[in-house]
């Protein structure tokens, strides 16, 4: 049918492609292709909340750790389909489980560790990417896409055009970053990709004597940038705008785990 589940999933992909990043499109394709395979040809009358929960239960038996993200993707699709007039209702949300603050799960380097990394990078190809992440809060993709016309040395500003959010933001150039920005052509901070990049970052962490973080070793420097903004007095709104977060809820994650700062605040009451 023209507006059956399979066609609606394809329409949803098209909507994601128009309004979100290519990475987001790949994410939802990977998740929803499974239910499209199993239930795409079924009528909407079979897409009851109970039937969707039963499908999720079966999927969980094959891939237990993917259940939360699969459920999130399916719920978002159902809400979108409802908004398009399709007769579908999302599965009931699961009972919320207490979660540890994100900063307990993602290591954020200290200021001495960041300085050690910047020093160890020296004049290497990683020197500018490391400083752009730590002192301007750029994502990996933003570092790759930064061009010299986006660098205004006179105004001491960077214009960041994010491939993730498709929005631009302006970030002041940190005094320690300014001497590293010598105007040229093409990418500001060209760097390798994939395994060569991560091998180089692992060696850099080793030279600096800093524990190699799990996950994305360049991205933790962006976490450092946001946490330092908040720790030095920026409001959550200011930090959100400088970091380019889509939601202030993401920014607020960084406000939870500085227990030393929290103790100081309480002691001054």
């Amino acid at each position: 049918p023209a507006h059956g589940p399979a066609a609606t999933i394809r329409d949803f992909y098209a909507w994601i492609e128009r309004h979100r990043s290519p990475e987001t499109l790949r994410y939802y394709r990977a998740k929803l292709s499974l239910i499209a395979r199993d239930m795409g040809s079924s009528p909407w009358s079979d897409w009851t909340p109970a039937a969707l929960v039963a499908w999720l239960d079966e999927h969980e038996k094959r891939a237990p750790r993917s259940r939360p993200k699969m459920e999130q993707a399916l719920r978002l699709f159902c809400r979108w389909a409802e908004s398009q007039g399709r007769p579908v209702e999302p599965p009931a949300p699961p009972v919320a489980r207490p979660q540890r603050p994100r900063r307990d799960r993602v290591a954020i380097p200290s200021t001495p560790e960041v300085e050690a990394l910047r020093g160890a990078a020296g004049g290497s190809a990683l020197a500018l990417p490391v400083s752009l992440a730590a002192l301007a809060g750029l994502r990996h993709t933003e570092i790759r896409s930064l061009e010299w016309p986006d660098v205004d040395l006179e105004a001491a500003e960077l214009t960041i055009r994010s491939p993730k959010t498709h929005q631009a933001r302006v970030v002041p150039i940190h005094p320690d970053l300014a001497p590293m920005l010598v105007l040229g052509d093409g990418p500001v901070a060209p760097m390798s990709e994939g395994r060569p990049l991560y091998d180089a970052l692992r060696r850099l962490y080793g030279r600096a004597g800093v524990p190699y973080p799990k996950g994305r070793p360049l991205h933790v420097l962006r976490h450092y940038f946001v946490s330092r903004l908040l720790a030095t007095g920026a409001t959550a709104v200011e930090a959100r705008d400088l970091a380019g977060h889509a939601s202030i809820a993401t920014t607020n994650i960084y406000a939870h785990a500085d227990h030393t700062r929290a103790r100081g605040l309480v002691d001054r009451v």
Side-chain angles (χ1 to χ4, degrees):
H3 297 298
T8 301
I9 290 174
R10 291 193 295 271
D11 291 345
F12 180 67
Y13 292 157
W15 181 84
I16 289 284
E17 188 171 19
R18 289 194 301 272
H19 298 283
R20 298 292 186 267
S21 68
E23 291 82 3
T24 302
L25 177 61
R26 285 195 293 271
Y27 174 87
Y28 281 101
R29 278 187 182 277
K31 298 292 181 287
L32 296 178
S33 63
L34 299 175
I35 195 165
R37 177 196 65 196
D38 295 341
M39 296 182 63
S41 60
S42 303
W44 283 119
S45 57
D46 289 350
W47 281 58
T48 63
L52 295 176
V53 169
W55 183 88
L56 287 166
D57 290 342
E58 285 299 314
H59 173 77
E60 186 175 14
K61 294 176 184 177
R62 301 189 296 270
R65 297 181 64 181
S66 69
R67 168 74 180 250
K69 290 186 176 180
M70 180 65 75
E71 193 160 353
Q72 179 189 42
L74 180 57
R75 191 173 297 113
L76 188 143
F77 163 71
C78 289
R79 287 200 299 267
W80 181 86
E82 273 189 307
S83 74
Q84 304 301 304
R86 309 297 194 272
V88 63
E89 186 178 338
V95 176
R97 298 177 182 176
Q99 291 189 350
R100 294 159 59 190
R102 183 174 177 178
R103 283 187 58 174
D104 287 344
R105 293 185 276 122
V106 179
I108 296 180
S110 65
T111 296
E113 287 175 330
V114 169
E115 290 307 309
L117 287 167
R118 294 186 63 232
S124 73
L126 285 176
L128 193 48
V130 164
S131 292
L132 285 168
L135 303 180
L138 271 65
R139 300 176 176 93
H140 182 165
T141 53
E142 292 169 348
I143 295 172
R144 287 173 51 202
S145 61
L146 186 66
E147 302 279 346
W148 285 111
D150 299 324
V151 179
D152 188 338
L153 294 177
E154 185 175 344
E157 291 178 341
L158 300 174
T159 299
I160 313 303
R161 307 180 196 282
S162 175
K164 179 177 181 179
T165 63
H166 302 290
Q167 295 180 344
R169 68 185 188 277
V170 174
V171 177
I173 296 175
H174 190 282
D176 291 344
L177 183 58
M180 305 176 69
L181 296 169
V182 180
L183 290 177
D185 297 317
V188 172
M191 56 183 177
S192 57
E193 287 298 320
R195 182 64 178 270
L197 172 62
Y198 286 95
D199 286 346
L201 285 167
R202 188 178 293 276
R203 291 192 296 270
L204 173 64
Y205 273 82
R207 290 197 303 274
V210 177
Y212 190 75
K214 295 180 180 178
R216 296 171 289 179
L218 197 57
H219 199 75
V220 296
L221 300 176
R222 171 174 157 82
H223 293 319
Y224 166 82
F225 173 77
V226 180
S227 66
R228 289 300 300 158
L229 286 174
L230 293 168
T232 52
T235 66
V237 171
E238 290 167 335
R240 177 201 63 190
D241 292 345
L242 287 168
H245 288 149
S247 167
I248 202 167
T250 303
T251 312
N252 283 333
I253 290 169
Y254 299 91
H256 291 309
D258 193 342
H259 301 299
T260 302
R261 174 176 160 79
R263 169 55 58 192
L265 294 172
V266 171
D267 288 346
R268 290 197 294 273
V269 172

